[in-house]
Amino acid sequence: MKKLNLTGKKVFAILFSLFVFFYFATVCERFVRSSVLHIVIPGALKTETAYTGDSESTDWEAVYPFKEEDLEAEQQEKLKKKKEEPKKLTALDIYKNKADNIKSSVDYYTSKLLFLRMKFIEFNSFFNKTIGMKLFSGSDDIAALADGSLVYYTSERDISIGIKNMISLSEYVNGRGEDFLYVQVPSKIDPETNYLPAGIVDYGNETADKMLNALKKENIKYLDLRDCMKKQGMSYTESFYFTDHHWKTGVGMWAANEISKTLASFGVNYQPELLSKDNYTETVYEKYLLGSLGREVTLANADPEDISIYTPDFETDFTVDYYDFGKRTGDFKESLLNMSFLQKIDYYNTSPYSAYLYGVSPIVTIKNNMANNNKRVLFIADSFCHCVLPYVATQVQYVDKIDLRYFTGSVKTFIEKTNPDIVVVMYYPGSLVDGNYETMRLK
C-alpha cells in the first residue's frame, strides 16, 4: 500500500477545504430554513417582527388611489410614468438585473447566515461592556441611560413638511364633518431627567414639542400622553422595557384608557370598567423578551425580561381582518393575539410584543361584535398602537388601523371609503422625523 505523504501544505489545504464545505453547507441549510420553512433569519430582526405578508398580494395604491393634486412633484412624475407604456427591457437589461439579484443574494446570505455570526456579535458587545462603553459599536444610535435601560436617541430633524401634512389632514377630516385627534406617544427618555451619557443629545422630546406647538396654534385637538404620565406620577423606567423601545403592554392598556376618555368628548360611550385591570387576567411570560435594542447589543450586554399579556375576564367577541393575513373571529385572545409568538423563547428570531395584532401589517380592521354604538375610529399609527388598539376596541364597534410604513395607498381615499367618525394620528417621537416620507405622508 502506498504511504500517504501529508505535508503541512496538504493538511492545511484539506482543513481549509473542509471549512469552506462546512461553511457553505450551513449557509444552504439556513437558507432552506428561512426561505422554505419561513423562519426569520437571526440578526435580521431589528425593531419588531418584520411585515411577513405578501407585499405583492395587494396593490394598495390601486385599491386606494391618490388624487393627483395630493401628490408631491416627484410622486406625480412617478404616477405619470406608471401610466405610460412600460419600457421594453433589452437582453442586456435582463442580464444586469439577474446579475444584481444574484450579487445581492450572495452578499446577504454570506453575511446574515455566517456561521456563529451572533456569537461574534455577542463577543463584540461583551467587549464593549467590559470596558464600560455607554455607546455600542455596530449599533445605530443606541445608548444606555443611567438606570441601565437601552434607548435609541434621535437626531435633530426638520419636520416642517410633516407638520404641514398633519394640519392639512386635520382640515380635510374636519371638512368632512368628522373629528380629528393627534396623540403624542412618549419616548423612553423622560423630558425632565434625560439621563443620557455625557456628549449624547436626544431631540425626540423637542421634536414632539414642535409638532404639538404647531397643532396648538391651529386649535387642533391633541392628547400629550407625556403630560398624563407626569400628572399621574408614572415612572419612565417602569413604563418601558429595558431592552426595547416600546412601552410595556400594561402601559399600552393605560394609554387605551386615556385615549378612550378623550374619545368620549367626540361622542364615544366611554366604559371605564372595560379598561380596568381588575377585570383582566395578567399572564406573565418570564424572561421571554429580548427587545429591539437588546437584539442589537445581544445577550452579552442585555438581559431578557418579562412580558405580560392582559386578557379580559368578561365576554368578548371580535372579527379582525388582517387583510394580507386573513380574518380571525372569536374572543379577545382568539382574534387579537397571535399566541405562537409566546410558545417558545427565541430571542433573536421572534418578538413576543408582536403577539398583539399579529405584529406589523398595512391595514387592520377590528369589529367589536358586542358593541352597538356604531362608532368607527381610524388610527394612523406606528407599532406603539399594537398593545393599545385591542383595548380601545372594547369601547367602539369599529377600529381601523393603517401603518404608513407598509400601506402605500392614499389616506384620504381610505377615509372616503370607510367613513370613520374620528381619525386619530398616534405617533411616538421617532416616527415624526421622517418629514415628507412614510409615516408623515398623510395624504
Side-chain angles (χ1 to χ4, degrees):
M1 180 180 282
K2 190 175 180 180
K3 187 177 180 181
L4 287 174
N5 184 20
L6 292 177
T7 62
K9 289 183 178 179
K10 287 182 179 179
V11 170
F12 176 79
I14 292 170
L15 291 175
F16 181 75
S17 299
L18 288 172
F19 173 79
V20 170
F21 173 79
F22 177 73
Y23 169 71
F24 280 103
T26 59
V27 170
C28 291
E29 184 266 338
R30 298 178 80 190
F31 171 79
V32 170
R33 285 200 302 136
S34 63
S35 300
V36 178
L37 302 179
H38 305 289
I39 295 174
V40 179
I41 298 168
L45 195 62
K46 190 173 181 180
T47 59
E48 66 248 345
T49 298
Y51 170 54
T52 54
D54 184 359
S55 59
E56 301 299 323
S57 64
T58 303
D59 183 352
W60 297 113
E61 197 170 335
V63 180
Y64 302 100
F66 289 92
K67 294 177 176 62
E68 195 161 339
E69 63 270 19
D70 284 335
L71 299 175
E72 304 294 340
E74 185 179 342
Q75 291 175 305
Q76 289 182 14
E77 187 64 27
K78 182 180 175 183
L79 183 65
K80 183 180 177 183
K81 288 181 179 178
K82 193 173 181 181
K83 291 178 180 178
E84 293 174 354
E85 285 292 321
K87 177 186 173 184
K88 190 173 181 180
L89 295 177
T90 65
L92 182 60
D93 290 331
I94 295 172
Y95 171 77
K96 284 183 177 179
N97 288 341
K98 287 185 177 179
D100 288 341
N101 289 337
I102 291 171
K103 181 181 181 300
S104 297
S105 296
V106 170
D107 288 345
Y108 182 74
Y109 285 108
T110 54
S111 59
K112 292 294 183 184
L113 297 183
L114 178 67
F115 181 59
L116 296 178
R117 174 178 178 269
M118 292 310 299
K119 293 299 179 185
F120 286 122
I121 296 174
E122 285 181 7
F123 177 77
N124 178 61
S125 292
F126 175 75
F127 177 76
N128 291 341
K129 183 178 181 180
T130 302
I131 63 176
M133 286 184 66
K134 295 296 183 182
L135 300 178
F136 303 94
S137 60
S139 300
D140 296 330
D141 302 329
I142 294 181
L145 299 180
D147 61 10
S149 181
L150 300 171
V151 296
Y152 291 118
Y153 55 93
T154 306
S155 58
E156 188 173 17
R157 303 288 178 91
D158 177 12
I159 64 164
S160 56
I161 294 176
I163 289 172
K164 176 185 172 184
N165 291 349
M166 188 75 72
I167 293 171
S168 175
L169 179 63
S170 71
E171 291 173 346
Y172 170 77
V173 170
N174 292 150
R176 286 172 47 86
E178 298 157 353
D179 293 306
F180 182 87
L181 173 68
Y182 176 73
V183 176
Q184 183 58 66
V185 174
S187 69
K188 286 181 75 169
I189 299 175
D190 188 328
E192 296 194 348
T193 57
N194 196 14
Y195 292 135
L196 279 165
I200 300 298
V201 180
D202 174 74
Y203 291 91
N205 284 301
E206 181 181 310
T207 301
D209 291 340
K210 284 181 182 178
M211 175 60 73
L212 297 182
N213 289 335
L215 299 183
K216 188 175 182 179
K217 286 180 182 178
E218 299 295 326
N219 293 315
I220 296 171
K221 188 156 187 174
Y222 64 82
L223 172 65
D224 188 352
L225 290 173
R226 298 174 303 170
D227 285 347
C228 297
M229 290 182 69
K230 182 179 178 180
K231 288 175 183 176
Q232 297 177 38
M234 294 173 65
S235 162
Y236 276 67
T237 298
E238 295 175 1
S239 297
F240 288 82
Y241 295 108
F242 264 58
T243 66
D244 199 85
H245 64 295
H246 292 112
W247 50 20
K248 293 182 178 179
T249 52
V251 179
M253 185 191 290
W254 165 83
N257 188 52
E258 296 299 316
I259 292 168
S260 297
K261 280 194 281 187
T262 306
L263 294 181
S265 65
F266 298 130
V268 171
N269 182 24
Y270 171 52
Q271 302 175 76
E273 69 278 4
L274 299 182
L275 291 169
S276 169
K277 283 187 179 179
D278 293 339
N279 294 323
Y280 285 77
T281 295
E282 177 186 6
T283 304
V284 180
Y285 292 83
E286 296 182 0
K287 307 300 181 186
Y288 257 69
L289 175 71
L290 183 68
S292 55
L293 298 110
R295 288 191 294 270
E296 288 200 55
V297 304
T298 77
L299 287 166
N301 218 351
D303 296 322
E305 52 192 323
D306 301 347
I307 183 170
S308 294
I309 301 294
Y310 297 85
T311 51
D313 295 330
F314 50 88
E315 185 180 358
T316 55
D317 183 19
F318 295 95
T319 298
V320 187
D321 196 338
Y322 295 98
Y323 292 84
D324 283 356
F325 297 122
K327 285 187 178 182
R328 304 286 187 274
T329 298
D331 63 19
F332 186 98
K333 188 174 182 179
E334 292 169 330
S335 58
L336 293 162
L337 298 173
N338 185 349
M339 300 306 292
S340 66
F341 285 101
L342 298 161
Q343 287 177 351
K344 64 177 182 178
I345 295 175
D346 193 353
Y347 293 128
Y348 292 121
N349 297 331
T350 61
S351 170
Y353 182 85
S354 295
Y356 279 92
L357 289 186
Y358 283 66
V360 295
S361 57
I363 301 178
V364 175
T365 292
I366 306 170
K367 181 185 178 186
N368 184 343
N369 297 316
M370 299 186 71
N372 55 12
N373 55 24
N374 200 31
K375 287 289 184 180
R376 188 170 206 130
V377 184
L378 166 62
F379 280 81
I380 301 167
D382 53 33
S383 56
F384 270 77
C385 78
H386 291 179
C387 60
V388 176
L389 301 195
Y391 302 107
V392 173
T394 64
Q395 306 290 305
V396 294
Q397 190 164 21
Y398 290 96
V399 171
D400 296 301
K401 184 216 79 170
I402 57 179
D403 188 330
L404 291 179
R405 295 172 298 173
Y406 308 100
F407 174 77
T408 56
S410 165
V411 172
K412 291 182 179 178
T413 304
F414 185 92
I415 290 172
E416 287 177 2
K417 289 191 174 186
T418 57
N419 295 307
D421 298 286
I422 308 164
V423 175
V424 180
V425 179
M426 175 181 167
Y427 281 145
Y428 100 111
S431 293
L432 297 177
V433 300
D434 289 324
N436 49 338
Y437 301 105
E438 292 180 342
T439 53
M440 298 308 298
R441 181 161 44 82
L442 299 173
K443 292 186 176 182

